[in-house]
Amino acid sequence: MVPRYLINFDLNEIKKKSFDFIVVGSGAAGLTAALELGQQGQVALLTKGEVKESNTKYAQGGVAATFSPEDRTRFHYRDTLLAGDGLCNPKAVKTLVEEGPTVIKRLIEEGAKFDRKKGKVALTKEGGHSHRRVLHAGGDATGRELSDFLIYNSLYNKNIEIFENTFAVDLISDENGVYGLLAYDKLKGEYLLYLAKAVVLATGGIGQLYKNTSNPQLATGDGVAMAYRAGAEVMDMEFIQFHPTTLALEGANNFLLSEALRGEGGILRNSKGEIFMDRYHPLKELAPRDIVARAIYHQMEKEGSSNLYLDLSHLDNDFIKGRFPTIYNKCLSLGLDISKDQIPITPAAHYFMGGIKVDLFGRSSLKGLFACGEAASFGLHGANRLASNSLLETLVYGERVAKGALDYTKKAKIRWARLDLNLRKDIGDNICFKDIREELQGLTEEKLGIIRSKEGLKEALDKLEDLLAILEKDLRKVEGFELQNLITLAYLITKGALMREESRGAHYRLDFNKSKERWKRHIVMKLEQRWEELKVEFE
Ligand code: FAD
Ligand code: SIN
């Protein structure tokens, strides 16, 4: 049986706090939603670390939006659909590209800083974009600048109460929908029940499922797993984007080397120093990300090497230092001068196109539950996200989810029911979370990576079926909850990847290496009583 909740508990004995809205996650999506909701009611913003910790903070390249006089929103629309490889939801894309510039202009008026050139916002290029349309800040510190700006505004909003080090464990729901959230205060070591009229999950991505990832430690997909446990539909689980260029140096932890480096002229070379991207796509280094990542993987396999190279040595030194200060300094601290040296690179897990299935106002299939940002999925990115569309999504859809939640709460009330959930789960005292997490990361890296096959996926499924037993334990620790969430997601991703007998976007199968017309649809999954009864629908 799949446990509905991760721990044994009795709600009657847990301290309670009531708000109009709960937002989980302090990345750009959660902060944007909280700022909007804070205009209408009391918001609890929960985040599992410090408020400034998120994937958002590490974003480098920028935010894509039509600002150049030569560009048009219809070009941005077309580029997004092309990158998405036939699986984008056109309405979602249209909304994104049309509302994006207005949202960004408003942020600029409110004081958000973006780099400028000759009095106008500076625009760079990234893979799959037909025009220069990526706004950036602090050179390559776009995420940090944006996150600081949103946090600053949230701190000054008296309707938003921020709860740091507060780990969301499970949604509390009944047949009338979601009405609260069980959270664990990491500093006090106590559980709390947050009650609200609506819950917004903005818990970000799942990069930590993989051994090699550009994502920080916090990216364990908790929101998606908890929504699934609560009975919400999840979608597109098989689509995971691998970024082509992360730093392949010891101690670098797959530090991201922004696509903007290629946008400004960086070239990929194999171990012999040869250029090779022209053999894979007419856009060469600036082809959509899935194509570049696969080309690098293919070259590495051919050469038997564990990395290739990014070459910036032909670019102006001062330009590199000024335009990419974070990357330049990070590499220098590891003994590499990117303005001169060849930079060793390898692809790594970067972005999750799947997530909690929502509509264009962030409404999930459960009443009272909403989602936005990387945790949500509504087909915006299709099978492969266009570079720098994610930050734009957090801003545009962060606002829209607030509208959806506000609308819902006009009729909803804060309520709570007595709930004694002594599930009598065994206490998993003897489980070494670290060892199992590493084992899982190795498995996903090998079997659920850039190249997949039926055989590999079946092997992964067998292993995961054994690991599912861990979900039956009460692990009582954040590392344990994260592990349980990662196992849940790995299982769903494997199921989806096995089912999708074709190659499309970021999902590439050796045994079905072409896209198929009949697979131009989304796989939607929902929990039934047992794992074996996982309900699957196609859209
Ligand atoms: P996040 O920013 O990841 O925030 C999630 C939040 O949820 C965090 O605060 C986390 O602590 C919290 N949380 C998670 N689980 C729990 C829990 N159980 N309880 C409580 N809190 C929880 N995209 C672009 O468009 N442009 C770029 O230039 C770009 N560069 C990137 C560079 C890097 C290195 C990375 C990793 C990603 C990059 N991306 C970029 C992708 C983009 O940054 C993310 O997709 C986006 O920031 C996601 O925002 P979010 O608000 O949905 O989630
Ligand atoms: C990057 O800077 O390459 C990341 C951009 C993105 O993920 O959209």
Side-chain angles (χ1 to χ4, degrees), residues 25-26 28-29 47-48 53 55-56 59 61-62 168 222 351 374 388 390-391:
S26 58
T47 190
K48 68 177 169 179
E53 274 310 319
N55 266 11
T56 301
D222 304 329
Y351 184 83
E374 198 169 334
S388 286
S390 173
L391 285 184

Side-chain angles (χ1 to χ4, degrees), residues 339-387:
S339 67
K340 293 194 200 101
D341 302 331
Q342 297 291 302
I343 314 165
I345 56 104
T346 186
H350 181 63
Y351 184 83
F352 187 39
M353 272 76 73
I356 304 162
K357 181 176 175 264
V358 293
D359 68 9
L360 299 199
F361 286 98
R363 291 179 278 239
S364 77
S365 61
L366 294 184
K367 274 195 218 156
L369 179 66
F370 298 78
C372 59
E374 198 169 334
S377 179
F378 47 111
L380 171 66
H381 307 298
N384 170 56
R385 173 175 66 88
L386 183 67

Side-chain angles (χ1 to χ4, degrees), residues 88 154 272 396 432:
C88 291
S154 308
K272 292 188 200 136
V396 170
C432 179

Side-chain angles (χ1 to χ4, degrees), residues 60-61 126 243 256 258-260 289 350 385-389:
Q60 296 180 351
E126 287 185 287
H243 196 291
L256 192 80
S258 174
E259 205 154 289
R289 206 168 268 181
H350 181 63
R385 173 175 66 88
L386 183 67
S388 286
N389 265 357

